[in-house]
Amino acid sequence: MHGGHQRIDVEWLALAAGLKPAIRIAASALEASAIAGRFQAMGAAVVTARGPVGVHRHEHTLVYVARDAADAAAVRAAERPLLGTHLPARDKAYYAGELGRRLGYPRCCVDAFTARILRGPGKLRAGDRDSVHEDYAAAHDALVARPDWRLNNLLLRQHLRLVTFEPCRYDCALALAMASEVLRLCAASDAASTHVLEDRLQRPLVLAATGARAWVRLDATTPAKITAAEAPRAAEANARPDPADEALSARLLRAPLRELGDPPPLLLDFSP
């Protein structure tokens, strides 16, 4: 992180402490080799697979990490059916639920995730013709009046997170219990980097239906009014922002949210 801080490996901290039974990481072949080596050096069991993942079905190497080989293999086995093609939505939802539970995610959050699979990827309502970015659909479902910053899962690309799953609500008690414990482990491991992580997770965020996102500053007297916007970036000194995020940041200062798309961007005020 800035100032020479190392990125905190929240997944490893959670696994080592027994908060999570396993970790699953999708990466390029080159990245996967380095990731596997790093976890094996820490004493973890690692197995891998290859296959198409995500809405766009891009080929990745999947790295499964657990404290023992049987648990790592069980998570790989749970995902194997999802790597096949032309799986019916009902089967996809079932296997995704199995995978989520084996990764230790809260049951309510897993159930919300599988409900979105059954509704159709990126659909805000069943029967919708148009699709939005999957992060937008999940955040739309999870939105509450006071979203808790500890459940901010929208900066995974920037490696800024306490939770790596999609919360069913941004105030889910089970998800918050896990996030709070991960935060405690982070603070005990590296207080300076945890302070940087907290600062970034607590920034109000705008998320467009395209998946573009921006950190924003809100007017103290008119909370819905945006006074500044910037593209999120990872905490490493050489991190580059996403061009789509930069474009959204520029648009946010020129027009109100309701005029910036259909559906309009979501404002998630993660400030504590």
Side-chain angles (χ1 to χ4, degrees), residues 2 153 201 231 250 253:
H2 284 321
N153 67 316
L201 292 179
L253 300 178

Side-chain angles (χ1 to χ4, degrees), residues 194-249:
T194 301
H195 183 69
V196 174
L197 177 64
E198 288 179 356
D199 166 68
R200 283 157 173 74
L201 292 179
Q202 289 173 1
R203 295 178 185 182
L205 186 101
V206 167
L207 174 64
T210 59
R213 57 209 72 189
W215 279 325
V216 296
R217 194 174 306 129
L218 304 174
D219 188 291
T221 55
T222 315
K225 185 181 178 189
I226 293 168
T227 60
E230 68 170 303
R233 62 179 71 213
E236 286 82 7
N238 60 350
R240 301 288 310 143
D242 186 296
D245 296 347
E246 289 185 306
L248 174 65
S249 301

Side-chain angles (χ1 to χ4, degrees), residues 152-222:
N152 180 354
N153 67 316
L154 297 171
L155 299 168
L156 298 191
R157 271 194 323 230
Q158 289 77 24
H159 311 288
L160 299 166
R161 75 275 197 240
L162 293 171
V163 298
T164 53
F165 55 89
E166 295 169 350
C168 60
R169 291 169 53 98
Y170 281 120
D171 60 0
C172 168
L174 288 177
L176 273 172
M178 183 179 287
S180 300
E181 187 58 20
V182 172
L183 180 61
R184 189 188 67 75
L185 293 169
C186 288
S189 165
D190 185 339
S193 293
T194 301
H195 183 69
V196 174
L197 177 64
E198 288 179 356
D199 166 68
R200 283 157 173 74
L201 292 179
Q202 289 173 1
R203 295 178 185 182
L205 186 101
V206 167
L207 174 64
T210 59
R213 57 209 72 189
W215 279 325
V216 296
R217 194 174 306 129
L218 304 174
D219 188 291
T221 55
T222 315

Side-chain angles (χ1 to χ4, degrees), residues 28-118:
S28 70
L30 194 63
E31 291 169 333
S33 177
I35 290 166
R38 186 162 54 85
F39 280 117
Q40 284 166 332
M42 293 171 176
V46 180
V47 297
T48 62
R50 274 195 70 70
V53 296
V55 171
H56 302 295
R57 308 296 287 162
H58 292 147
E59 190 81 9
H60 283 80
T61 297
L62 297 156
V63 183
Y64 305 94
V65 185
R67 287 188 299 281
D68 66 66
D71 282 348
V75 180
R76 178 172 63 181
E79 185 164 26
R80 187 174 291 124
L82 292 168
L83 303 179
T85 51
H86 311 304
L87 201 63
R90 191 169 293 280
D91 291 351
K92 197 179 291 184
Y94 171 79
Y95 290 118
E98 283 295 296
L99 177 61
R101 282 187 282 277
R102 286 192 179 276
L103 290 170
Y105 300 155
R107 181 173 285 272
C108 48
C109 301
V110 172
D111 289 347
F113 181 78
T114 57
R116 279 191 293 280
I117 293 175
L118 292 171

Side-chain angles (χ1 to χ4, degrees), residues 236-272:
E236 286 82 7
N238 60 350
R240 301 288 310 143
D242 186 296
D245 296 347
E246 289 185 306
L248 174 65
S249 301
R251 292 176 67 211
L252 288 174
L253 300 178
R254 295 199 294 263
L257 289 182
R258 64 180 178 277
E259 294 176 13
L260 292 178
D262 180 22
L266 298 173
L267 170 61
L268 299 108
D269 185 359
F270 285 115
S271 55

